[in-house]
Amino acid sequence: MHLTDQQLIEDDYDENIHFSQCQPCQQRLEHLLVIRQQLSDIVPPDHQIDQWQSIKQDFLSQHQPPSSNKKKLNFWRLTSMSLAASLVLFAILLSPPFKDNPSQASDLEVLIAKNNQLQQQLVTLNGQLKLAGIKQLQFQLGQLDAVIQQAYFDQLSDDHKITLWQQRQQLISNTLINQQQSKIVRI
Amino acid sequence: MAAFEQIYRTYSEASYYLAYRICGCEAIAQEISHDAFIKVMANINKYRGAGSFAGWVRRIVANEAINHINSEKRQRIDHDVEVVEISSNNLFEHNWLESCRDLDTLTAKLPSVSRAVLILHQVEGYKHQEIAEMFGKSVSFSKVTLNRAFASLRQLSNNEESDNASNRSTAYRR
């Protein structure tokens, strides 16, 4: 029995015995593949306008609250976004646009997720941290993030990156623990 | 911001092309690409590395395009090309696009949802399950829409071919 259009459209023919022996079905598939290729050849008639300045402006206006009270919160959020962007950038330099390269979850990814989670806790503590503590943490995180970025840039081993991410996690954890201890003292 | 700009420079063209293929309009594709990149930047710390970054960006662009189609659909009624019969095994008996001169214009005549499903499944390689999730509909919605898209496209192509033949015949008589 000939393959249905549905089977051809969904590439469900590889192990079909009839298909391997049927000339008309193979011919139909060939036509479909040509049509598919023609569809993927569709491109816009004109080149894209460079929208970077407008994207940047709109992004900043949406994510930079004017109120000075929100400046601290914004700092943590933007710091987190900037680090993520930098790390992603190093990762994508090795892979071309829109080519799938699935990677498995690793210890490193778990550690990064944990860092993000802790950083979120910092965001929620906005305004409760002492100014001196904030300044010190900003400085230390800035230094460590630069080292982490360099590790990605130099394509160092995962073990090396894990050590750095663990240091980062420890740094934020210590700040959070100190914060909790100072709360207890106040009570 | 320098890292974000570099990400934009790396993916902007591919994103614009994808948006254009889905929606078939340059101005709308620019708009979709613009909005999608703001979402990429705002959500970049949610990217967990499970799958390629390119795939993650592509999904955001595709979702943005679908949002646009859905909002557009709420404002007007799509007029589908009437498909006389959707036969189960004769869609690809010949390459009906062989004589098509402008596939871009032809696909622009498809209902926006049909065009989107056609491109997402046949060109971008998304599965019916994924397309169904993007549209918030069932898997059978995706399957039926795809089948109808092919049938409509064939009919549009055949109509165009008949028109061209008729024009040639008129010109010959003159």
Side-chain angles (χ1 to χ4, degrees):
Chain A
M1 193 173 165
H2 289 309
L3 268 73
T4 63
D5 291 330
Q6 199 72 35
Q7 285 173 296
L8 290 177
I9 288 170
E10 291 176 27
D11 297 330
D12 183 18
Y13 47 79
D14 271 354
E15 290 170 16
N16 191 298
I17 297 165
H18 168 84
F19 179 79
S20 61
Q21 296 162 351
C22 178
Q23 188 69 28
C25 279
Q26 289 173 13
Q27 190 72 47
R28 285 168 60 218
L29 176 66
E30 216 168 282
H31 293 147
L32 169 62
L33 294 178
V34 173
I35 291 168
R36 202 177 275 176
Q37 183 58 48
Q38 284 176 275
L39 287 169
S40 66
D41 288 342
I42 294 176
V43 289
D46 290 322
H47 284 292
Q48 187 193 18
I49 300 161
D50 189 336
Q51 301 185 98
W52 172 243
Q53 288 306 325
S54 133
I55 289 171
K56 184 178 159 186
Q57 212 165 6
D58 289 351
F59 172 76
L60 288 175
S61 69
Q62 285 171 25
H63 295 88
Q64 211 161 35
S67 162
S68 59
N69 293 339
K70 293 182 179 173
K71 272 184 183 168
K72 282 179 197 167
L73 174 80
N74 203 42
F75 168 81
W76 294 117
R77 195 166 284 161
L78 287 178
T79 301
S80 167
M81 284 175 179
S82 303
L83 176 64
S86 306
L87 297 180
V88 158
L89 182 61
F90 290 127
I92 64 172
L93 284 174
L94 303 171
S95 61
F98 295 180
K99 296 284 178 199
D100 283 331
N101 179 25
S103 58
Q104 290 183 338
S106 63
D107 291 347
L108 194 55
E109 285 161 14
V110 172
L111 204 51
I112 294 170
K114 182 70 187 163
N115 262 270
N116 282 337
Q117 197 185 333
L118 287 172
Q119 192 138 354
Q120 274 308 114
Q121 288 183 35
L122 277 177
V123 172
T124 57
L125 281 176
N126 174 48
Q128 294 178 37
L129 292 169
K130 289 177 184 170
L131 189 62
I134 293 173
K135 290 280 177 201
Q136 191 185 0
L137 185 60
Q138 282 179 2
F139 177 74
Q140 289 174 321
L141 277 183
Q143 295 229 313
L144 199 47
D145 287 350
V147 176
I148 292 173
Q149 287 175 19
Q150 193 61 41
Y152 277 84
F153 186 72
D154 295 340
Q155 294 179 34
L156 298 181
S157 69
D158 277 2
D159 286 344
H160 187 88
K161 289 176 205 160
I162 283 172
T163 310
L164 293 170
W165 278 104
Q166 281 169 338
Q167 283 177 24
R168 194 177 193 277
Q169 184 181 330
Q170 195 59 47
L171 195 60
I172 304 175
S173 293
N174 287 344
T175 307
L176 289 169
I177 290 165
N178 289 341
Q179 172 63 25
Q180 280 167 351
Q181 282 171 348
S182 68
K183 261 186 184 175
I184 293 165
V185 170
R186 261 184 250 143
I187 290 166
Chain B
M1 274 297 154
F4 281 135
E5 183 175 0
Q6 193 54 50
I7 290 171
Y8 170 77
R9 303 264 169 243
T10 307
Y11 292 107
S12 61
E13 192 177 59
S15 300
Y16 173 58
Y17 276 32
L18 170 60
Y20 180 80
R21 273 198 291 267
I22 293 174
C23 69
C25 169
E26 286 172 277
I28 294 170
Q30 296 273 10
E31 199 182 311
I32 290 167
S33 179
H34 175 279
D35 294 350
F37 267 99
I38 290 180
K39 285 195 174 160
V40 166
M41 290 164 75
N43 294 298
I44 199 155
N45 48 0
K46 289 182 188 160
Y47 170 64
R48 292 281 176 263
S52 72
F53 182 70
W56 186 72
V57 174
R58 187 173 62 161
R59 184 65 182 254
I60 290 177
V61 176
N63 280 333
E64 201 56 38
I66 290 166
N67 287 344
H68 190 92
I69 289 168
N70 286 339
S71 65
E72 196 184 40
K73 258 180 83 72
R74 279 193 284 272
Q75 290 166 23
R76 65 176 177 81
I77 299 163
D78 266 329
H79 296 284
D80 201 348
V81 174
E82 194 183 334
V83 179
V84 179
E85 188 186 21
I86 299 176
S87 183
S88 63
N89 62 0
N90 69 353
L91 267 175
F92 308 109
E93 279 177 349
H94 70 283
N95 176 12
W96 26 264
L97 285 182
E98 205 165 18
S99 58
C100 175
R101 288 174 197 165
D102 188 358
L103 183 57
D104 199 3
T105 308
L106 202 65
T107 52
K109 291 177 184 169
L110 287 174
S112 50
V113 173
S114 297
R115 177 177 170 132
V117 173
L118 180 70
I119 295 296
L120 289 171
H121 192 279
Q122 293 294 293
V123 180
E124 300 301 325
Y126 283 105
K127 305 277 178 219
H128 283 303
Q129 179 67 45
E130 293 172 297
I131 296 170
E133 281 167 16
M134 288 181 193
F135 278 94
K137 304 244 171 137
S138 65
V139 169
S140 60
F141 152 83
S142 178
K143 287 184 178 180
V144 169
T145 306
L146 180 60
N147 210 296
R148 284 177 66 87
F150 269 121
S152 299
L153 199 59
R154 181 180 61 172
Q155 191 147 329
L156 284 165
S157 180
N158 289 342
N159 291 350
E160 189 189 65
E161 208 174 324
S162 303
D163 288 348
N164 290 342
S166 163
N167 290 341
R168 276 197 300 272
S169 154
T170 309
Y172 179 76
R173 266 190 249 121
R174 279 178 190 162

